[in-house]
Amino acid sequence: MGSKVKGESKAAPGRTRRAVLFAGLGIFTVAAIAGQDEARRAWWLLPGVGKPREEGALDHAGARWTAASPANWRLADRPSDYRVDRIVVHVTQGSFASSVDAFKSPWHQASAHYIVGQDGHVEQMVRELDVAFHSGNRSMNERSVGIEHEGYVDRPQDFTDAMYAASARLAADVCHRYGIPVDRTHILGHSEVPGADHTDPGRHWDWDRYLRMVREQLAAVASGAGSPAT
């Protein structure tokens, strides 16, 4: 998370993505240009079209819910309107509690879908349906799930066994549900997002270990041996 805001660039005041798209082209023009697949996605961009929602519902069964401020994320209907094919790994540069408080503040202008604590606890703060302002890149925000990890990039001791295990279960669950490949193209660090000015998760984050654990969790699900969400 760090001290800098990692939200997304803003459109012109009062003009959302949906308004810009349909004011200029209209749903039928969009359908003709984009083809059937994009036409289906265009439907979910229409004002007033949305999926049923339940307040406090969880996407990952191993998480607990605390709502981020609505100022720190954008309503969407993913993956119907935006494909989800990336996971972005973050480090909070602060405590678990301070990160939860930051995402609850409307002045913070950033959030992530999840925060993973050093003790392995997972807090969900934005529904995966919606676009969290976590990477500083609008396109990446729209296509990704953001996972924060409690700690500091220059303190390898902050990346505990419990944290790696809980995050790997979470990431495997996300990959399973959206068909995301477990590799360094599709699971990347905040510092690798185009245009990023952050350094997290830093050189002490063990990518080899993490991806191996995610693959193991995913294989367990595929074999019927267990669920990554438990």
Side-chain angles (χ1 to χ4, degrees), residues 10-201:
K10 304 295 184 182
R15 290 179 63 80
T16 66
R17 180 187 178 95
R18 298 182 184 198
V20 170
L21 176 62
F22 290 100
L25 295 176
I27 180 62
F28 296 109
T29 304
V30 171
I33 294 172
Q36 287 189 343
D37 183 58
E38 290 306 317
R40 284 191 294 269
R41 297 185 186 282
W43 166 257
W44 289 101
L45 290 168
L46 277 170
V49 174
K51 297 178 179 178
R53 292 165 181 266
E54 179 183 345
E55 186 175 355
L58 294 167
D59 295 301
H60 178 64
R64 183 179 65 191
W65 175 260
T66 297
S69 168
N72 299 331
W73 56 273
R74 177 156 51 88
L75 193 72
D77 288 298
R78 304 189 313 169
S80 295
D81 51 0
Y82 304 109
R83 294 181 180 87
V84 178
D85 62 1
R86 297 288 191 277
I87 293 173
V88 180
V89 174
H90 303 265
V91 173
T92 60
Q93 291 297 97
S95 70
F96 185 92
S98 67
S99 300
V100 170
D101 287 344
F103 291 167
K104 289 167 61 179
S105 168
W107 308 110
H108 188 62
Q109 300 179 17
S111 65
H113 295 92
Y114 297 97
I115 304 175
V116 182
Q118 292 174 358
D119 62 356
H121 172 73
V122 179
E123 198 81 9
Q124 181 169 5
M125 300 197 68
V126 179
R127 288 293 308 276
E128 292 175 15
L129 284 166
D130 299 320
V131 177
F133 301 160
H134 64 94
S135 76
N137 179 302
R138 186 185 182 103
S139 177
M140 184 62 71
N141 286 347
E142 290 172 348
R143 73 190 303 175
S144 66
V145 171
I147 305 177
E148 288 276 3
H149 298 82
E150 178 189 12
Y152 294 85
V153 295
D154 58 349
R155 292 174 39 146
Q157 66 272 25
D158 288 352
F159 305 143
T160 65
D161 292 343
M163 174 185 287
Y164 273 116
S167 183
R169 286 192 296 271
L170 169 59
D173 187 20
V174 173
C175 289
H176 175 69
R177 286 186 279 106
Y178 297 105
I180 301 174
V182 182
D183 58 39
R184 289 287 283 111
T185 297
H186 296 85
I187 303 179
L188 66 158
H190 188 190
S191 61
E192 298 168 306
V193 173
D197 59 358
H198 287 244
T199 61
D200 57 312

